[in-house]
Amino acid sequence: NAGVMQNPRHLVRRRGQEARLRCSPMKGHSHVYWYRQLPEEGLKFMVYLQKENIIDESGMPKERFSAEFPKEGPSILRIQQVVRGDSAAYFCASSPLGQGEQFFGPGTRLTVL
Amino acid sequence: QQQVKQSPQSLIVQKGGISIINCAYENTAFDYFPWYQQFPGKGPALLIAIRPDVSEKKEGRFTISFNKSAKQFSLHIMDSQPGDSATYFCAAIGGGADGLTFGKGTHLIIQP
């Protein structure tokens, strides 16, 4: 039973470019969460999605960041016009019921040059 | 603002000893309290979790103690082993919030 999958594991972008991060939830899980982790910090909630719906994006920066979870395929976190402050580890988690228990993927480490 | 405060920031324990990490929360609507273990370069792994209707939960060498009136909970690692060396995060969720609120983490080192 495969866990949460994320790709790429490492991503390097220059300032102003776009970053696309992908997340495939665990089999049978329809609830996806995105978190950001800065160095030496805990994880910060960004967005919660179900298939084709954004349920809660209260932790998402208002500009340049967007997320989707289409009917088919992985969830995608998109960062447009990246800046150095976007450098962080981005984690996806999935849940079977959307309550409490969340299982995390290995993360995507974004470096903005 | 919803917060979870975690201490200590770092902890060194001798092999075979007991590691204790503490967390305090503010939002009384929180109703699920997990602990995650994270190794360098890896994602957080769910270790153990508790709901406020019980005061203690034990799984193997890991125990959560929960004090609802004090709004505190702690992780105890019995017979700590070098392989337990990692960063541990407490978290909380509930009251309509969809995302976990995390503490800032504890770097645990178990000395052989």
Side-chain angles (χ1 to χ4, degrees):
Chain A
N1 187 12
V4 177
M5 299 175 68
Q6 290 188 249
N7 66 80
R9 296 291 308 278
H10 300 274
L11 183 62
V12 179
R13 286 288 178 266
R14 296 192 180 278
R15 282 178 295 170
Q17 291 183 320
E18 178 180 286
R20 284 198 178 207
L21 290 62
R22 296 174 185 78
C23 168
S24 296
M26 288 179 69
K27 186 176 181 180
H29 290 193
S30 60
H31 303 261
V32 167
Y33 308 80
W34 287 92
Y35 293 81
R36 177 164 62 177
Q37 185 177 35
L38 295 171
E40 302 302 317
E41 291 283 328
L43 289 83
K44 303 291 187 185
F45 167 74
M46 299 179 74
V47 61
Y48 164 41
L49 311 101
Q50 294 181 31
K51 286 284 188 181
E52 299 185 277
N53 287 301
I54 298 174
I55 308 302
D56 180 354
E57 55 183 348
S58 59
M60 285 273 270
K62 293 289 185 277
E63 297 179 350
R64 303 187 297 108
F65 285 72
S66 62
E68 62 178 8
F69 190 14
K71 186 177 181 180
E72 301 291 338
S75 175
I76 295 175
L77 179 68
R78 181 184 179 198
I79 311 172
Q80 295 178 291
Q81 298 177 328
V82 296
V83 301
R84 289 208 173 124
D86 296 332
S87 295
Y90 292 83
F91 291 96
C92 167
S94 73
S95 174
L97 298 174
Q99 297 176 19
E101 207 171 49
Q102 296 181 20
F103 299 91
F104 282 79
T108 294
R109 280 144 186 89
L110 173 65
T111 301
V112 179
L113 301 178
Chain B
Q1 183 179 0
Q2 297 181 351
Q3 284 188 344
V4 175
K5 295 183 179 180
Q6 185 172 345
S7 64
Q9 187 175 8
S10 60
L11 179 63
I12 299 174
V13 175
Q14 295 296 315
K15 178 182 175 182
I18 303 174
S19 303
I20 302 174
I21 304 171
N22 301 298
C23 284
Y25 62 97
E26 298 177 355
N27 187 348
T28 55
F30 285 150
D31 59 7
Y32 178 75
F33 302 87
W35 283 89
Y36 285 85
Q37 178 190 58
Q38 186 177 31
F39 293 104
K42 306 293 185 182
L46 181 61
L47 200 57
I48 186 173
I50 198 168
R51 293 197 182 271
D53 53 343
V54 296
S55 60
E56 186 175 281
K57 182 174 181 180
K58 183 177 181 179
E59 291 184 0
R61 296 185 294 110
F62 300 93
T63 300
I64 298 179
S65 296
F66 187 84
N67 186 329
K68 188 174 181 179
S69 61
K71 293 187 288 184
Q72 296 176 346
F73 58 110
S74 60
L75 175 69
H76 291 63
I77 306 175
M78 312 300 287
D79 187 26
S80 300
Q81 299 296 313
D84 297 329
S85 298
T87 300
Y88 292 80
F89 292 97
C90 63
I93 192 171
D98 295 306
L100 290 162
T101 299
F102 281 85
K104 290 196 172 184
T106 296
H107 295 282
L108 174 64
I109 297 173
I110 308 301
Q111 290 186 334

